Amino acid sequence: MYESFLIKDIKKFFTMKYMKLGTKPDTFYTEEAVRSVLSDVPADLIIHVNNTKYQLHKFPILLKCGLLQRLCSDTDADGDGDDAAPVPVALHDIPGGEEAFELCAKFCYGISINIGAGNFVAAALAARFLRMTEAVAKGNLVAKLDSFFESCILQGWKDPIAALMAAWRISGWSESRIVQPCVDAIVEKILMPPSKVTWSYTYTRPGYAKKAHQSVPKDWWTEDVSELDIDVFRSLLSTVRAARLLPPPLIGEALHVYACKHLPDPLNHATANANGGLHGGQTSSSAAAEQRRVLETIVTMIPGDAGAVTGRFLLRLLRVANFVGASPSTRAQLVRQAGAQLDEAKAADLLVPMPSDPLAYDVGAAEAVLEHFLALFQRPAPPDERRRMSAAMEKVARTFDEYLRTIALHADFPVGKFVDLAECLPEIARNNHDGLYHAIDTYLKEHPELSKADKKRLCRMIDCRKLSPDVRAQAISNDRMPLRTIVQLLFVEQERAMGAGGASGSNSAVAPDAIAMLAARNKEKDDEPPAPAADHKSDVHRPRGDHGERARADGAAMTRSLSASTTKTAGAAAAAPRTAESRGSRMRNK
């Protein structure tokens, strides 16, 4: 496995083009921080490039460098003749710095050099700066580099990408003679049908290499172009979109690959960087600024077509936007788009870490996304769209209940806010309350210090008739459930049993035991002092009057009613055989 991986990488490496110039061995050496050429002829030309000093010879250098010819001629005119000491020449502003100048100097000496996409841009800009053109000498460096650029670099795939990256680092958009041809060459290859792709490309999707693929994937180009600077990437993708030959989801996949490479998910890094933040250290502000620039650019490029990007990707961008402090307009756009595709999300996608505390979650962001989804649900729509939105609402309800269950694990999450979140969904959204029950049960388990009033307030949101039989049975035996909730569950259980054609023997046996348990719990709760009411901005779930007296009265009434109902059902079941026997006796007497 490891050997094949190396061979694959080496193969990709050698698909890039290289040009070799010169035949002489490299005779440059460094002595006391001075770069010199091994020669019997003493140096008569001193050149300073930034912090490096070069001791060279006029004879080979001036033959090919028009700029140095002019500078040295001016120096000779100002000197006292041939015996004058060489005057240093400063070339601090040469593009590419010392490395680029040394390539040009070695070319003048005939020393062997290799030119590839990685160093082509620096060499080409330095050669033009030194005026190494055909007007100065035939077969000069500029002409050779231009020929290599046209015939080799632009014809490959990774070569123009590498050249474009180098040009952007050195001069940005100013060097249009290199940047624009590279962009055009890359776009041309992206727009080609995948069946015509014959060059090497990078594709590391999980599981892809394990299959025997007969064709090139449609998104074969996305990983390689993700190496570009965001401004270059935007220009490239805008040109691709203008051609209207690729579907919007393919454009969205390119954005997804770029974002995954340059924007770490705060959810994955929250624990590891809880103390230093996502970026950590002194580079946090600069890194955040760069990620904010990348994020806001990506958001502006998201296609407006339905399905161009996934809802999960939009929520990931929202997490990053919240963490790096993106502009309000960027966050608002992400909330709108994520809300429209909320049915595609999972519970973990709604977890938005706080910038100040990566281990805490911003529930306001998730609430805003849900509110936008609900606003779309309430709009008038054709029947087909209404059916689609109803199915989407069921998915969102299940996802949001799972999200509530995760939020409930935080010991410092206030009960009032939990109730507000749970009530964000309308009653019609939850056809099943199993998820809501598990979320509330998790909250009760993680917050054992809750008062009786708060427990009732939480459990009042559960519709016992919307619980599945298994969950209902679990809730009846759950000590964390309030007495009133368990009594309601027993009523529902009794109603279902009676509706199924009479209570079975097992149900008749379970009910008295449950009633005895409730009576014992009710007596224990009577002995407890009433807990203070919870402070919360909304009292919609807070019962009025004497909480303890009213709860005990309701519980006792429900227990008596349940006992009477159970006795009545059991009596009816016992009387049925006697009635049948009496009727048989009368028939025999007749």
Side-chain angles (χ1 to χ4, degrees):
M1 178 78 178
Y2 182 71
E3 182 178 358
S4 63
F5 174 77
L6 286 178
I7 293 174
K8 183 179 179 181
D9 275 6
I10 292 173
K11 180 180 178 182
K12 288 183 179 181
F13 177 79
F14 282 110
T15 55
M16 298 184 70
K17 308 295 190 303
Y18 290 87
M19 175 178 65
K20 183 178 180 180
L21 299 174
T23 57
K24 297 180 181 180
D26 190 356
T27 55
F28 273 66
Y29 67 97
T30 302
E31 183 177 357
E32 296 181 357
V34 176
R35 293 286 284 169
S36 305
V37 181
L38 189 62
S39 175
D40 296 334
V41 180
D44 55 359
L45 177 62
I46 298 177
I47 296 178
H48 293 274
V49 180
N50 298 327
N51 297 324
T52 305
K53 176 182 178 181
Y54 289 90
Q55 292 183 346
L56 306 175
H57 304 84
K58 291 182 180 180
F59 172 68
I61 298 292
L62 300 188
L63 289 180
K64 297 183 181 295
C65 298
L67 176 64
L68 291 178
Q69 286 181 7
R70 182 178 64 80
L71 293 178
C72 288
S73 63
D74 294 342
T75 301
D76 291 341
D78 295 337
D80 297 331
D82 295 337
D83 296 334
V87 177
V89 177
L91 298 177
H92 299 309
D93 53 349
I94 184 172
E98 299 93 319
E99 295 182 3
F101 171 76
E102 193 161 317
L103 281 174
C104 296
K106 288 180 178 179
F107 173 79
C108 296
Y109 280 96
I111 296 174
S112 177
I113 58 175
N114 289 321
I115 302 295
N119 62 357
F120 159 78
V121 174
L125 296 180
R128 291 195 182 101
F129 178 83
L130 295 172
R131 300 179 191 173
M132 301 177 70
T133 62
E134 295 296 293
V136 176
K138 295 297 181 182
N140 215 339
L141 184 56
V142 170
K144 292 183 181 295
L145 292 175
D146 288 344
S147 177
F148 175 66
F149 181 62
E150 295 288 340
S151 61
C152 295
I153 290 182
L154 295 181
Q155 304 309 313
W157 166 245
K158 292 191 175 183
D159 304 79
I161 293 177
L164 188 57
M165 293 170 61
W168 181 260
R169 286 194 302 267
I170 294 175
S171 60
W173 292 114
S174 61
E175 193 52 48
S176 58
R177 288 174 294 184
I178 296 176
V179 171
Q180 194 57 50
C182 286
V183 170
D184 294 340
I186 295 170
V187 171
E188 180 183 0
K189 293 174 179 61
I190 290 175
L191 297 178
M192 281 186 177
S195 59
K196 295 185 179 181
V197 175
T198 58
W199 45 82
S200 174
Y201 57 87
T202 303
Y203 199 81
T204 58
R205 299 300 194 281
Y208 180 81
K210 298 179 182 179
K211 303 176 182 178
H213 297 273
Q214 301 297 325
S215 60
V216 174
K218 294 181 180 179
D219 57 342
W220 62 269
W221 50 275
T222 54
E223 288 192 42
D224 286 320
V225 300
S226 68
E227 301 288 343
L228 298 170
D229 181 86
I230 185 60
D231 290 332
V232 183
F233 177 77
R234 176 177 56 184
S235 175
L236 184 72
L237 208 61
S238 299
T239 307
V240 171
R241 291 183 63 181
R244 299 182 181 276
L245 295 178
L246 299 183
L250 195 51
I251 302 297
E253 178 61 17
L255 295 173
H256 179 259
V257 171
Y258 194 95
C260 290
K261 186 175 185 64
H262 297 275
L263 299 175
D265 191 345
L267 194 60
N268 297 335
H269 295 263
T271 303
N273 299 281
N275 296 325
L278 180 63
H279 320 289
Q282 299 179 351
T283 61
S284 60
S285 59
S286 59
E290 175 62 21
Q291 291 183 4
R292 185 163 52 247
R293 182 176 74 96
V294 171
L295 170 75
E296 293 178 351
T297 304
I298 287 177
V299 171
T300 61
M301 291 191 293
I302 296 176
D305 308 79
V309 294
T310 64
R312 301 191 66 188
F313 174 55
L314 291 169
L315 287 170
R316 173 182 176 139
L317 293 181
L318 181 59
R319 286 196 296 273
V320 177
N322 192 67
F323 212 83
V324 301
S327 65
S329 60
T330 298
R331 282 181 283 185
Q333 180 178 344
L334 288 172
V335 166
R336 289 194 302 269
Q337 292 178 310
Q341 297 176 241
L342 185 55
D343 57 307
E344 302 173 6
K346 295 183 179 180
D349 298 323
L350 293 171
L351 299 175
V352 180
M354 297 285 290
S356 57
D357 183 4
L359 297 180
Y361 298 121
D362 182 5
V363 296
E367 193 174 356
V369 174
L370 178 63
E371 288 176 355
H372 186 78
F373 172 82
L374 295 176
L376 295 177
F377 180 79
Q378 294 172 359
R379 292 181 181 177
D384 292 343
E385 179 64 15
R386 176 55 55 189
R387 284 191 293 270
R388 188 195 71 81
M389 288 298 293
S390 297
M393 175 65 82
E394 294 182 11
K395 295 180 181 178
V396 169
R398 289 194 298 268
T399 300
F400 200 73
D401 285 343
E402 293 178 15
Y403 168 75
L404 288 175
R405 193 173 183 179
T406 304
I407 292 296
L409 294 172
H410 290 261
D412 56 346
F413 197 79
V415 62
K417 188 60 179 176
F418 186 85
V419 171
D420 289 343
L421 280 176
E423 290 184 332
C424 285
L425 282 174
E427 183 65 25
I428 61 173
R430 293 186 175 100
N431 295 329
N432 183 290
H433 275 213
D434 287 1
L436 180 60
Y437 163 77
H438 288 303
I440 292 176
D441 184 44
T442 301
Y443 192 91
L444 293 175
K445 182 179 179 181
E446 298 297 326
H447 301 77
E449 75 286 351
L450 282 181
S451 65
K452 290 188 294 183
D454 285 335
K455 290 181 180 180
K456 293 176 183 178
R457 189 166 157 210
L458 285 169
C459 295
R460 193 175 288 115
M461 294 186 292
I462 302 174
D463 187 342
C464 298
R465 290 177 174 80
K466 291 186 177 182
L467 294 178
S468 63
D470 292 340
V471 173
R472 198 162 53 242
Q474 175 187 344
I476 290 175
S477 60
N478 190 344
D479 291 339
R480 290 184 290 272
M481 292 290 109
L483 175 64
R484 181 185 180 91
T485 302
I486 294 182
V487 171
Q488 291 174 346
L489 289 166
L490 287 171
F491 267 123
V492 173
E493 192 74 20
Q494 192 71 20
E495 289 176 358
R496 298 298 171 95
M498 294 175 63
S504 62
S506 60
N507 286 330
S508 299
V510 169
D513 293 340
I515 294 172
M517 177 189 70
L518 292 178
R521 287 183 57 183
N522 194 22
K523 186 177 185 304
E524 292 177 1
K525 293 180 180 294
D526 287 343
D527 298 335
E528 296 178 2
D535 53 341
H536 182 58
K537 63 181 181 181
S538 173
D539 61 350
V540 64
H541 294 295
R542 187 175 300 151
R544 298 180 181 179
D546 187 346
H547 300 280
E549 181 179 352
R550 184 171 181 176
R552 287 192 296 272
D554 291 344
M558 289 183 179
T559 305
R560 289 194 299 271
S561 176
L562 179 61
S563 177
S565 175
T566 304
T567 304
K568 181 179 179 181
T569 305
R578 293 196 298 271
T579 303
E581 182 180 357
S582 175
R583 290 178 180 175
S585 176
R586 286 198 299 270
M587 291 294 294
R588 286 194 296 272
N589 292 336
K590 290 181 180 181

